[in-house]
Amino acid sequence: MSNIISGKVLSKEIREEVKVQVEGLKEKFNKVPHLVVILVGDDPASLSYVTAKERACLRAGMKSTLIRKDDSITEEALLALIHELNEDPDVHGILVQLPVPKHIDDNKVINAIKKEKDVDGFHPLNVAAVHLGQEGILPATPKGIMTMLKSTNTEIKGKQALVIGRSNIVGKPAAMLLLKEHATVTIAHSRTTNMKELALKADIIVAAVGRANMVTADMVKEGAIIIDVGVNRVDGKLVGDVDFDAVKEKASFITPVPGGVGPMTIASLLQNTVECFLMIEDK
Ligand code: GUN
């Protein structure tokens, strides 16, 4: 029987901390962090994510603007909008919700955002900083994962960590952050042939593949810590990448879906927005 790491509870604590911090910033700088979120198109899942981000910003006392663009917007026009926001002294964070329509090169979008306003931590200079162990903006989901791991008070140093998934948004940066904490890190992915063997050796598993119930109880070592990043819809119900009910009987700690990593991503985004504000205002 495992302990459940509640992203809901932990993220609420962080959001409260950020709120207090924002009150202090308002006193000191006479302004609050302003996040601008750009949503291209009307994908319902993306819309619900950006609405949640906007609401969290406002609740933390920050300013938030959602700019919605039709999915016919040209790449040139989107890049011009980003450049405009880069130069706007009233804007501290810029987030373009991904994916963008196919006719727009997402790398060009990511590269266009000024590093100091890159609340997602997706700009190559921020990615490089994470890889080099230097100061930089950490991507929100891996940052939230590390906060959850640290909340267990378990030592990460020397542990075997398996990250399943190699996306630029989650898998790769999560692996780098675990490495920074001195874990022995393995990255598995869709072409890995010995997944069960690797999983059974792992003290920490981060599942970020996007396949419902992919991590089953027979793959998990007794006492392992399981972080489930998956968001899959099965028969209208949200489920993660981990077979939660069975795996929780073996894990020492496990994150639920929903109410796990998801809320932590938003809390980390708020922290990143404050960091960007300070980089710009506190020179
Ligand atoms: N789409 C899915 N997750 C994310 C995220 O963390 N940031 C952005 N910009 N788009 C996403």
Side-chain angles (χ1 to χ4, degrees):
M1 195 62 188
S2 55
N3 294 299
I4 299 190
I5 313 173
S6 171
K8 225 170 158 175
V9 172
L10 204 52
S11 68
K12 191 158 179 254
E13 287 169 16
I14 294 171
R15 284 191 281 118
E16 286 300 324
E17 277 169 25
V18 171
K19 193 173 174 185
V20 172
Q21 225 178 336
V22 169
E23 280 163 14
L25 296 176
K26 196 173 174 182
E27 288 270 305
K28 185 169 176 191
F29 297 98
N30 204 24
K31 58 168 106 171
V32 296
H34 179 196
L35 174 67
V36 174
V37 176
I38 303 172
L39 173 64
V40 181
D42 51 12
D43 175 67
S46 291
L47 180 59
S48 96
Y49 290 140
V50 300
T51 307
K53 289 171 185 179
E54 197 182 17
R55 198 182 318 129
C57 273
L58 297 175
R59 281 191 185 158
M62 299 195 214
K63 195 170 158 188
S64 170
T65 305
L66 171 61
I67 300 180
R68 293 194 63 177
K69 292 288 175 191
D70 194 85
D71 58 12
S72 63
I73 189 174
T74 62
E75 183 180 276
E76 200 183 4
L78 181 59
L79 294 176
L81 172 61
I82 293 169
H83 289 306
E84 204 180 295
L85 295 168
N86 277 341
E87 299 312 317
D88 186 341
D90 179 48
V91 174
H92 304 99
I94 304 168
L95 183 153
V96 180
Q97 186 67 20
L98 300 174
V100 285
K102 284 198 173 59
H103 66 275
I104 298 173
D105 181 346
D106 50 6
N107 283 326
K108 281 193 191 161
V109 170
I110 288 166
N111 294 358
I113 298 171
K114 207 181 206 174
K115 159 179 145 278
E116 291 81 6
K117 297 192 178 187
D118 172 34
V119 283
D120 267 323
F122 292 169
H123 189 283
L125 288 171
N126 280 319
V127 175
V130 173
H131 280 246
L132 296 170
Q134 296 179 6
E135 290 290 308
I137 298 293
L138 302 179
T141 301
K143 180 172 177 158
I145 292 171
M146 296 310 289
T147 307
M148 291 180 116
L149 280 174
K150 287 180 183 169
S151 79
T152 68
N153 288 320
T154 310
E155 189 162 46
I156 299 172
K157 185 167 70 181
K159 292 281 158 59
Q160 299 285 334
L162 176 67
V163 178
I164 311 177
R166 55 176 159 177
S167 70
N168 290 333
I169 296 183
V170 184
K172 285 187 212 165
M176 291 313 299
L177 295 179
L178 285 160
L179 190 59
K180 193 172 174 217
E181 295 299 323
H182 313 290
T184 302
V185 184
T186 305
I187 305 177
H189 47 79
S190 55
R191 313 285 167 89
T192 298
T193 52
N194 59 338
M195 189 73 81
K196 185 172 173 181
E197 185 191 326
L198 296 173
L200 278 169
K201 287 192 186 135
D203 304 302
I204 299 166
I205 296 180
V206 175
V209 261
R211 194 137 52 88
N213 301 325
M214 185 252 165
V215 176
T216 48
D218 60 323
M219 294 168 69
V220 173
K221 182 164 91 172
E222 200 72 44
I225 302 178
I226 310 294
I227 308 288
D228 190 350
V229 189
V231 183
N232 311 291
R233 212 167 266 282
V234 175
D235 300 330
K237 197 174 154 227
L238 272 192
V239 296
D241 290 347
V242 177
D243 181 2
F244 182 83
D245 289 335
V247 172
K248 81 171 190 303
E249 300 303 326
K250 291 181 96 175
S252 57
F253 291 93
I254 186 166
T255 67
V257 177
V261 174
M264 292 302 292
T265 297
I266 294 187
S268 304
L269 173 68
L270 298 183
Q271 291 176 318
N272 283 354
T273 308
V274 168
E275 274 188 46
C276 287
F277 176 92
L278 289 171
M279 268 193 281
I280 293 163
E281 302 291 344
D282 197 16
K283 283 194 185 134

